[in-house]
Amino acid sequence: MISMSERLEEGSRVKSPAHGFGSVIVDQGPTVVVRFGHGIEECDKSSLSPELGPIEAFDRSALDVPLEVINRFQAEVIRSVNDAWGVFSRSRIELLPHQLWVCRKVNSEWPTRWLVADDVGLGKTIEAGMILWPLLASGRVNRLLIIVPAHLVEQWQYRLRTMFDIRVARYFPEADTEKADFWGTHSQVVASLQTLRLERKDRRQRLMESGPWDLVLVDEAHHLNADEEQGPTLGYRLIRDLNEARLIDSMLFFTGTPHRGKNFGFVSLLYLLRPDLFDPKKSFPEQLPLLSKAMIRNNKSKVTDLKGQRLFQEPIVSSETYEFSPAEQSFYELLSQFILQGRAYASSLESSQGRAVMLVLIAMQKLASSSIAAIARAIERRIGRIKDGESKLEDLNEKLEKYRQAESQGSDDELSRLEEEIAGAASDLRLMKDEEPRLHELLGHAQAVERETKLERIVSIVSERFENRSVLFFTEYKATQARLMTYLMERFGEGTVGFINGDHRLDNVRFPDGRRETVASGREEAAESFNVGRYRFLISTEAAGEGIDLQENCHVIIHVDLPWNPMRLHQRVGRLNRYGQKHQVEVLSFRNPDTVESLIWDRLNEKLKRITQAFGQVMDEPEDLLQLVLGMASPSLFRDLFAEAPNLKKESLSDWFDEKTAKFGGDDAVEIVRGLVGNAANFDFQNVSEELPRVDLPDLQPFFESALALSGRKIRDEEGAISFLTPDEWKDKPGIFPEYHDMRFDRTDRSSEAGARLLGVGHKIIDRAMSYALQRSASASSLPSDVLPNPLVVFLVRDRVTEGERKRSSTVAAVEIGVGSSGDIVLRDWELLKRLNELPLRRKLMRENSLPVGDESTVRAKIEAAEKALMRKLDSLDVEFQHPQVECLGALWPRLVAS
């Protein structure tokens, strides 16, 4: 320890038991101001111990043990690389360059606040996990709140656990009571936005009183909407209140559709993140240039692998037509008349009742466009409830309100479920004066349809074009699911078909032997069975439209019906056309050209094509930007298009469509999207390829082996599976086992035990080895010149500026001195790790104090020259420090070997 009377010079090296190694800034008598790796601290002088600087360390008769120096340098470099790139996280899938880049972009400064608006299928949850891992592992984030739509809560919890071993508690309102103290006992939580935004039973107050969050992550952040006239939504108010109470340090928003058509709402979203940069009351165009500081957007067309090869191919999209049978045509015409007469009746009612009738009729129209099975089931339920007098107007109004909320929130599966319920719900409100006999007539015509032409055509096409291939089917409704499942089992056998829907059950499925049953299936169970090939076919509602991967064993998708919102088609295709897909995805849809729905889709596809062409005229490299354009359109636009079209004559349909969609994808929308894409930060392989770390989990193994060796332990390596006894001094932390078996530095392991045996930063045993290595004071050693031909000097680079809200992370670099004609070579942190890993771990060479290297003044001169060389080449490290400071951590020096 240092005595109070001892005077410490500026720049002298000290060690603190709490903060590790640092350099003195100023000695203030009883206290000393010290710059550590994480920042500046004022320390009690008596708590510090003096440490030799690397240059002074070389002026000794015996230098440090080489393996101790190497192990410490490896640990410093691993921390540097992982803090920036997240590359050593315990993700169980291969990491992509754009994901590494996003991680580095977000974690390069702290606190961090970003809107990540990547295209669907680029691995949003993986990016989130990669960002979170180094923050959690370093202790920078302890309190974490993840807020997501209700239907994605379980998915986020499951994926973070299985892919990254990040375990978050799920928020349940029932557990949030005054006595239970949920927020005081759970520091890492995933919660539903729909639940958390409500101010009930003092829940908001308890959240506000629970203390600040290190990081708040919001998925589908476009639901945090603020309207210029109607004001902010409850979700927006929640985040705003937490922000204004200074309860959020860092914040991340994820959404594929950040701009919902109104500049005020978009800038209001950015204002939540960066009130220092954005203001919804100011001019939107003037704020666009600031977007690169707050928004990241990557598109499928530009992402690559580490070799620069683009990963995604444009899907092959085609359409098949079919015709109604006479019985189907008769039913379709009768239903069209029913809906037209219902609309006329609705116009005679007072406004709220009229709107209710219209929504019921729209639900019936949508069900009929899916299958006769879907609309027939709804009619049967409506007739039954009319007879039984089950449902009242209040029940229907409650469902209609939920419908409006689901539509505004983009909850597609919930929307489809409510449509089935609304169409089949009876109430005091009639759809027309003589509704019941008309419903019986409709049901009779529906029951006269013995086989559905579209579904039979689908099964026939599967047999002809996709023999022995897996196929993913999408439909909006469970009744259509059950009918298609019946048809597929008739042709291909009982065990060939699985399903996914929000209820995890399917009624009225007829099996090949004639029995009818209700079948149950969990979402993850069905997805896994499909991915491994136990099911050849999977029929899904919109429950699989987002948040689930189905690409491992399939590249064919069939739209059984076409949803009225084109965004759903984009999301459906994203289940297959995503990272990991090894084939070009084929997309097939079915339509009857004689129906109004088909005519509207023709016009809509033409409109979308014109929008794409417009982007091609104003952008040097046009991308698939339809997701952004569709996100700007109100869902009610598409609903009204399909719902109102049957009232029109075919000859007037085109002019009417153009008038209704005049603003959709117009010049204003093109200009906004162009501004978003042109100003947002984005991954470009050509610009960042040299910076991308070419290291992965296997590059941790040499460090871990050397850490074990220094503690007297060996590993047993059997074809990549390692086993070892834990050093006694590492067992002082909870969760450390006495021994480990069959552990792996391999994220490609797909066995059932892969998650438990995957080693990486964040695993307790790796973190313990890192902590132990970083405590070492060894900094100067020598190696024979045939092992180390050139001096290797290691530096820590950081920003001297500590003021301001955002502080940039430090990085490690090295200079290899006098390498041939090239002179001094600057190595990035990951390049240094590769170089250290190449050094041989010979016992005698590495585990005894090394010999001195000669004149200390020569060593000093070369280290100082190396520091100057590094300062000259800092730009090559892509560091953005205002006033960079370089500190020597130590060096490895070659010595001549006696002949």
Side-chain angles (χ1 to χ4, degrees):
M1 295 299 173
I2 299 172
S3 68
M4 289 295 180
S5 60
E6 185 177 350
R7 191 72 183 171
L8 296 176
E9 297 296 325
E10 180 183 357
S12 59
R13 189 170 173 79
V14 294
K15 183 178 181 181
S16 160
H19 306 298
F21 298 99
S23 57
V24 172
I25 296 177
V26 61
D27 186 335
Q28 300 189 134
T31 64
V32 182
V33 179
V34 183
R35 185 187 295 273
F36 295 100
H38 66 276
I40 295 174
E41 302 284 351
E42 185 168 354
C43 305
D44 184 331
K45 182 182 286 186
S46 64
S47 71
L48 302 175
S49 57
E51 292 289 331
L52 286 177
I55 294 175
E56 292 75 18
F58 273 103
D59 190 23
R60 292 178 296 172
S61 58
L63 302 183
D64 295 317
V65 174
L67 193 57
E68 290 185 2
V69 178
I70 292 169
N71 188 241
R72 180 193 162 203
F73 287 173
Q74 287 171 322
E76 294 277 8
V77 172
I78 289 166
R79 180 169 64 179
S80 173
V81 177
N82 200 62
D83 283 355
W85 300 93
V87 71
F88 296 126
S89 67
R90 296 178 63 216
S91 166
R92 290 175 57 193
I93 69 168
E94 184 181 352
L95 305 179
L96 294 176
H98 77 274
Q99 295 165 343
L100 297 171
W101 178 85
V102 169
C103 178
R104 187 190 185 205
K105 192 75 175 175
V106 170
N107 286 348
S108 64
E109 60 182 21
W110 192 262
T112 188
R113 293 196 168 210
W114 284 94
L115 166 63
V116 182
D118 284 357
D119 199 2
V120 63
L122 291 187
K124 168 179 58 182
T125 317
I126 297 169
E127 288 176 350
M130 289 175 62
I131 292 166
L132 289 174
W133 244 129
L135 298 176
L136 293 167
S138 66
R140 186 174 282 181
V141 167
N142 290 305
R143 282 177 54 80
L144 167 68
L145 177 60
I146 301 173
I147 303 174
V148 304
H151 65 288
L152 292 179
V153 170
E154 187 176 351
Q155 181 72 6
W156 269 86
Q157 184 185 36
Y158 175 80
R159 286 200 147 195
L160 288 177
R161 177 175 58 82
T162 57
M163 296 172 66
F164 292 93
D165 199 30
I166 296 174
R167 297 172 186 265
V168 291
R170 186 173 177 180
Y171 175 80
F172 291 100
E174 299 82 5
D176 184 8
T177 64
E178 187 173 354
K179 291 183 179 180
D181 188 25
F182 178 88
W183 297 111
T185 55
H186 296 83
S187 59
Q188 296 172 10
V189 179
V190 58
S192 155
L193 175 63
Q194 288 85 340
T195 301
L196 213 56
R197 67 187 180 185
L198 300 177
E199 301 184 39
R200 292 180 182 171
K201 299 180 181 180
D202 297 326
R203 293 204 300 256
R204 174 68 64 83
Q205 182 179 348
R206 285 193 291 273
L207 172 61
M208 300 295 290
E209 293 174 351
S210 66
W213 297 94
D214 298 318
L215 176 64
V216 172
L217 185 155
V218 182
D219 189 21
E220 304 297 339
H222 53 269
H223 294 319
L224 308 177
N225 188 40
D227 187 85
E228 197 165 9
E229 297 176 358
Q230 299 177 5
T233 61
L234 291 174
Y236 189 98
R237 291 177 191 168
L238 168 67
I239 302 300
R240 182 195 62 191
D241 292 349
L242 289 169
N243 239 348
E244 291 179 352
R246 304 183 70 84
L247 294 175
I248 300 176
D249 192 15
S250 290
M251 189 152 49
L252 285 177
F253 290 167
F254 286 88
T255 174
T257 52
H259 197 299
R260 305 295 280 182
K262 295 183 179 180
N263 292 338
F264 183 89
F266 175 63
V267 180
S268 295
L269 185 64
L270 293 171
Y271 176 77
L272 285 178
L273 283 170
R274 296 294 301 270
D276 57 321
L277 298 179
F278 299 97
D279 186 343
K281 297 176 183 177
K282 292 183 179 180
S283 165
F284 177 62
E286 291 176 5
Q287 299 178 78
L288 270 176
L290 301 173
L291 209 55
S292 63
K293 298 180 179 181
M295 177 174 160
I296 293 169
R297 184 183 184 278
N298 293 309
N299 187 273
K300 281 181 180 174
S301 64
K302 290 188 175 181
V303 301
T304 69
D305 60 18
L306 282 170
K307 297 179 180 178
Q309 301 297 315
R310 296 202 171 178
L311 292 171
F312 294 96
Q313 305 177 66
E314 281 293 314
I316 302 170
V317 181
S318 60
S319 178
E320 291 286 338
T321 61
Y322 68 97
E323 295 180 355
F324 285 144
S325 67
E328 289 171 319
Q329 185 66 36
S330 176
F331 173 79
Y332 185 81
E333 291 173 355
L334 189 64
L335 179 65
S336 299
Q337 293 173 11
F338 180 90
I339 289 173
L340 287 173
Q341 290 175 15
R343 285 176 171 274
Y345 178 72
S347 65
S348 69
L349 303 174
E350 61 95 7
S351 59
S352 62
Q353 291 185 333
R355 284 196 299 270
V357 170
M358 290 294 292
L359 279 175
V360 175
L361 292 171
I362 287 171
M364 294 180 72
Q365 187 181 345
K366 292 183 74 174
L367 287 162
S369 68
S370 177
S371 70
I372 291 177
I375 183 62
R377 180 178 296 184
I379 292 171
E380 283 181 325
R381 287 176 175 171
R382 189 166 181 85
I383 290 172
R385 287 170 181 168
I386 287 175
K387 286 181 178 179
D388 297 338
E390 282 184 13
S391 183
K392 300 297 181 185
L393 180 58
E394 295 80 17
D395 299 329
L396 177 61
N397 284 335
E398 184 181 346
K399 286 185 172 66
L400 293 175
E401 178 57 31
K402 289 181 178 178
Y403 181 91
R404 295 185 187 97
Q405 290 178 8
E407 184 178 56
S408 67
Q409 295 165 4
S411 302
D412 296 332
D413 204 55
E414 175 70 2
L415 203 61
S416 298
R417 186 186 68 79
L418 287 167
E419 283 164 355
E420 289 187 285
E421 288 188 6
I422 289 168
S427 68
D428 296 338
L429 181 68
R430 293 289 181 262
L431 304 181
M432 58 189 62
K433 290 181 179 179
D434 57 345
E435 179 187 356
E436 188 172 357
R438 297 293 302 278
L439 288 174
H440 280 286
E441 184 181 13
L442 275 173
L443 184 58
H445 278 70
Q447 291 172 340
V449 177
E450 296 180 356
R451 304 287 292 181
E452 294 203 40
T453 306
K454 177 174 68 173
L455 301 185
E456 290 204 315
R457 177 90 171 112
I458 287 172
V459 173
S460 177
I461 289 289
V462 168
S463 296
E464 296 166 5
R465 288 175 48 180
F466 305 120
E467 185 178 1
N468 297 323
R469 287 163 66 180
S470 294
V471 180
L472 172 62
F473 300 91
F474 266 106
T475 176
E476 293 193 276
Y477 305 110
K478 296 190 292 293
T480 305
Q481 263 190 312
R483 183 63 59 90
L484 179 59
M485 191 171 186
T486 294
Y487 282 24
L488 288 169
M489 288 194 297
E490 286 177 357
R491 178 70 66 91
F492 301 104
E494 184 174 319
T496 60
V497 192
F499 73 92
I500 291 176
N501 63 40
D503 294 336
H504 310 300
R505 55 176 283 165
L506 201 54
D507 299 324
N508 201 32
V509 177
R510 191 179 75 237
F511 288 81
D513 61 7
R515 73 184 191 280
R516 290 183 181 272
E517 291 184 2
T518 294
V519 292
S521 176
R523 169 182 156 114
E524 299 299 336
E525 173 191 347
E528 181 183 359
S529 293
F530 184 61
N531 279 327
V532 301
R534 285 194 291 270
Y535 293 147
R536 181 182 168 192
F537 307 113
L538 185 69
I539 313 170
S540 179
T541 63
E542 309 306 329
E546 54 184 336
I548 193 167
D549 297 336
L550 299 169
Q551 77 279 12
E552 291 185 23
N553 196 41
C554 178
H555 60 279
V556 178
I557 184 170
I558 291 180
H559 299 298
V560 180
D561 46 39
L562 294 174
W564 285 9
N565 188 339
M567 178 64 84
R568 292 200 196 179
L569 296 180
H570 196 88
Q571 292 169 337
R572 287 176 173 185
V573 175
R575 294 307 99 207
L576 294 187
N577 192 33
R578 59 197 302 107
Y579 175 61
Q581 179 57 259
K582 298 178 177 63
H583 304 276
Q584 190 169 16
V585 173
E586 297 180 52
V587 182
L588 186 60
S589 60
F590 288 78
R591 63 187 185 90
N592 183 333
D594 295 327
T595 61
V596 175
E597 286 86 355
S598 180
L599 296 175
I600 293 297
W601 266 110
D602 287 343
R603 300 291 188 280
L604 196 53
N605 284 328
E606 290 171 5
K607 178 82 174 183
L608 295 174
K609 185 176 180 180
R610 290 197 298 272
I611 292 171
T612 301
Q613 290 171 343
F615 282 121
Q617 294 170 4
V618 299
M619 298 183 69
D620 294 333
E621 291 187 53
E623 308 169 11
D624 177 10
L625 299 174
L626 285 181
Q627 183 182 12
L628 287 176
V629 177
L630 292 170
M632 294 172 65
S634 168
S636 62
L637 167 66
F638 303 113
R639 183 193 67 208
D640 293 345
L641 281 175
F642 287 97
E644 295 174 16
N647 297 332
L648 304 171
K649 295 180 179 180
K650 286 187 178 181
E651 54 269 23
S652 62
L653 191 65
S654 183
D655 291 340
W656 170 83
F657 178 89
D658 290 341
E659 182 181 346
K660 290 284 289 185
T661 61
K663 294 184 178 181
F664 170 57
D667 291 343
D668 288 347
V670 170
E671 196 59 34
I672 289 172
V673 170
R674 183 185 180 192
L676 296 183
V677 173
N679 288 282
N682 62 82
F683 168 79
D684 187 325
F685 183 82
Q686 297 301 321
N687 291 335
V688 303
S689 60
E690 291 186 5
E691 302 165 21
L692 292 170
R694 266 62 174 187
V695 289
D696 205 340
L697 291 182
D699 295 287
L700 290 180
Q701 186 163 339
F703 156 75
F704 192 61
E705 287 188 32
S706 64
L708 287 173
L710 287 167
S711 294
R713 295 285 191 265
K714 289 182 178 181
I715 69 165
R716 186 174 69 254
D717 192 334
E718 297 177 352
E719 298 181 354
I722 66 172
S723 302
F724 53 89
L725 297 176
T726 302
D728 292 338
E729 60 269 30
W730 293 9
K731 297 176 183 177
D732 58 345
K733 298 293 183 182
I736 301 288
F737 297 128
E739 55 187 282
Y740 291 83
H741 298 278
D742 298 325
M743 306 301 287
R744 297 175 183 270
F745 293 97
D746 179 13
R747 65 175 86 253
T748 64
D749 183 5
R750 290 293 177 266
S751 67
S752 57
E753 303 85 17
R757 64 189 191 185
L758 180 63
L759 291 172
V761 174
H763 192 289
K764 291 183 184 298
I765 195 68
I766 298 296
D767 290 352
R768 191 68 190 95
M770 287 281 293
S771 174
Y772 215 76
L774 291 169
Q775 292 173 14
R776 298 184 189 281
S777 59
S779 62
S781 192
S782 67
L783 289 169
S785 56
D786 60 340
V787 173
L788 183 76
N790 303 291
L792 198 59
V793 188
V794 180
F795 296 94
L796 179 70
V797 186
R798 57 190 168 199
D799 201 338
R800 295 180 64 92
V801 177
T802 58
E803 67 176 354
E805 292 187 356
R806 287 175 171 75
K807 301 174 180 62
R808 293 197 166 270
S809 301
S810 58
T811 188
V812 173
V815 175
E816 192 167 7
I817 298 175
V819 182
S821 59
S822 302
D824 298 344
I825 294 179
V826 172
L827 301 176
R828 294 181 176 85
D829 47 12
W830 65 268
E831 293 172 321
L832 173 58
L833 182 61
K834 287 282 194 183
R835 185 74 182 88
L836 293 170
N837 287 351
E838 293 169 357
L839 297 174
L841 297 180
R842 299 202 295 268
R843 176 175 292 273
K844 185 175 180 180
L845 176 67
M846 288 293 181
R847 301 181 200 178
E848 297 178 358
N849 288 82
S850 54
L851 299 173
V853 294
D855 183 17
E856 185 262 346
S857 62
T858 302
V859 172
R860 177 186 295 273
K862 288 190 175 183
I863 289 178
E864 290 174 350
E867 181 176 328
K868 292 177 182 178
L870 177 60
M871 289 295 290
R872 288 194 301 270
K873 297 181 180 181
L874 278 182
D875 287 346
S876 67
L877 300 180
D878 193 36
V879 295
E880 299 179 10
F881 299 145
Q882 287 180 261
H883 298 285
Q885 180 187 41
V886 172
E887 176 188 345
C888 182
L889 295 179
L892 290 168
W893 218 266
R895 67 174 186 271
L896 294 176
V897 181
S899 56

